[in-house]
């Protein structure tokens, strides 16, 4: 996903990195659907009198929100991102988009019912301010659906034992060094399930559930094992967290 940070938080080369159209700006469709199903159940059916507002913060090219939209029929899905290039592409999928920084979202307090925050937090310089802003724009009891890679994924445990840099971690914006993979995506923060729970709780949310999801980048022969690992979020590739504003 495309990230949301302010110009004075990052060096110009990092901001340029995230504006590059070649940098991936969407999470996997299967986990987007899983998040949308949880959110649709939590929000309940939409009504003409009281449509719910769902923000896809760090919406990137809009494909994740477009994938979730059929399960959120009647609800107002709004894409939010700071990248003008990403928003230009997102407008082909979404009727509503807003350009904004996560350090100061251009939205009223308590104006949203739910926030989708898919594969964004791992890119942020200041995740504390990001969660504070998300909490501000959510109504009391509003829902947060967050997904992020798991530092403690089953294969990362083995890689660390072998002295190899974990998957998802990056030491450079120019190339991959010391770990499997070839694609640089700009990860700055990584979380274990325990760290993610504690962080979100400290930000003023109540964790409703934490589940695991597979990672599309796992080599094909290992994908059955990756799916099996999802039974235990502590070992899964991707963490799917559902929380509510306390």
């Amino acid at each position: 996903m495309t990230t949301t940070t302010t110009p004075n938080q990052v060096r110009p080369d990092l901001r340029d990195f995230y504006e590059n159209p070649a940098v991936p700006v969407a999470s996997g469709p299967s986990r987007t659907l899983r998040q949308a199903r949880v959110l649709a159940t939590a929000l309940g059916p939409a009504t003409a009198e009281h449509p719910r507002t769902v923000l896809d913060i760090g919406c990137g090219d809009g494909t994740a929100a477009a994938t979730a939209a059929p399960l959120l029929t009647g609800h107002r899905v709004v894409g939010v991102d700071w990248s003008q290039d990403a928003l230009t592409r997102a407008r082909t999928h979404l009727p509503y988009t807003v350009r904004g920084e996560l350090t100061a979202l251009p939205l009223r307090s308590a104006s949203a019912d739910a926030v989708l925050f898919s594969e964004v937090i791992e890119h942020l310089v200041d995740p504390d301010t990001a969660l504070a802003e998300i909490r501000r724009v959510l109504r009391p009891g509003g829902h947060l659906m967050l997904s992020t890679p798991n530092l403690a994924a089953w294969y990362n445990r083995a890689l660390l034992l072998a002295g190899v840099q974990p998957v998802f971690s990056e030491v450079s914006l120019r190339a991959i060094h010391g770990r499997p993979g070839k694609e640089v995506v700009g990860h700055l923060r990584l979380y274990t399930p325990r760290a993610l729970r504690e962080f979100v709780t400290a930000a003023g949310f109540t964790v409703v559930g934490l589940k695991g999801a597979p990672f599309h980048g796992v080599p094909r022969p290992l994908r059955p094992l990756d799916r099996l690992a999802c039974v235990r979020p502590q070992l899964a590739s991707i963490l799917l967290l559902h929380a509510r504003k306390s």
Side-chain angles (χ1 to χ4, degrees):
M1 297 293 291
T2 301
T3 63
T4 319
T5 51
T6 59
N8 60 2
Q9 283 184 301
V10 294
R11 290 163 41 197
D13 56 335
L14 181 56
R15 188 176 179 91
D16 291 344
F17 172 83
Y18 288 123
E19 285 281 10
N20 183 352
V23 175
V25 290
S27 57
S30 60
R31 55 184 176 270
T32 296
L33 286 172
R34 290 183 64 179
Q35 288 179 294
R37 291 189 188 103
V38 173
L39 193 54
T41 300
L43 291 175
T47 64
E49 296 80 14
H50 299 96
R52 307 285 189 176
T53 298
V54 179
L55 305 178
D56 182 4
I57 295 181
C59 67
D61 62 8
T63 56
T67 299
L71 297 177
L72 300 170
T73 302
H75 298 302
R76 184 187 299 110
V77 180
V78 181
V80 182
D81 210 294
W82 64 258
S83 169
Q84 188 60 61
D85 176 78
L87 286 178
T88 298
R89 288 180 280 167
R91 291 185 185 110
T92 65
H93 300 289
L94 300 172
Y96 308 104
T97 61
V98 175
R99 189 178 190 188
E101 309 280 353
L102 245 179
T103 52
L105 291 169
L107 301 162
R108 298 191 314 274
S109 297
S111 60
D113 299 281
V115 166
L116 284 169
F117 204 43
S118 300
E119 313 323 80
V120 176
I121 198 168
E122 64 270 18
H123 298 269
L124 299 180
V125 174
D126 185 2
D128 301 271
T129 298
L131 282 194
E133 271 295 275
I134 288 173
R135 189 176 186 278
R136 179 184 67 80
V137 301
L138 279 173
R139 295 189 174 100
H143 300 271
L144 169 64
M145 297 299 305
L146 182 157
S147 66
T148 191
N150 180 13
L151 176 60
W154 60 275
Y155 40 81
N156 280 345
R157 296 173 185 236
L159 290 173
L160 279 170
L161 284 174
V164 178
Q165 187 81 10
V167 175
F168 307 124
S169 66
E170 295 177 342
V171 299
S172 170
L173 291 178
R174 298 179 181 180
I176 294 298
H177 300 289
R179 73 157 172 83
K182 298 179 180 179
E183 190 173 56
V184 179
V185 293
H187 288 173
L188 305 178
R189 307 278 181 178
L190 288 176
Y191 299 82
T192 63
R194 178 176 177 177
L196 186 63
R197 279 180 175 273
E198 290 184 5
F199 179 56
V200 171
T201 300
F205 292 87
T206 299
V207 176
V208 178
L210 181 66
K211 297 182 179 180
F215 174 49
H216 61 273
V218 169
R220 188 175 297 275
L222 297 177
R223 289 179 186 176
L225 184 57
D226 193 43
R227 289 193 293 270
L228 181 63
C230 294
V231 175
R232 296 191 63 192
Q234 296 90 338
L235 300 176
S237 288
I238 306 294
L239 303 174
L240 305 178
L241 181 139
H242 175 203
R244 300 193 72 176
K245 178 178 175 178
S246 301

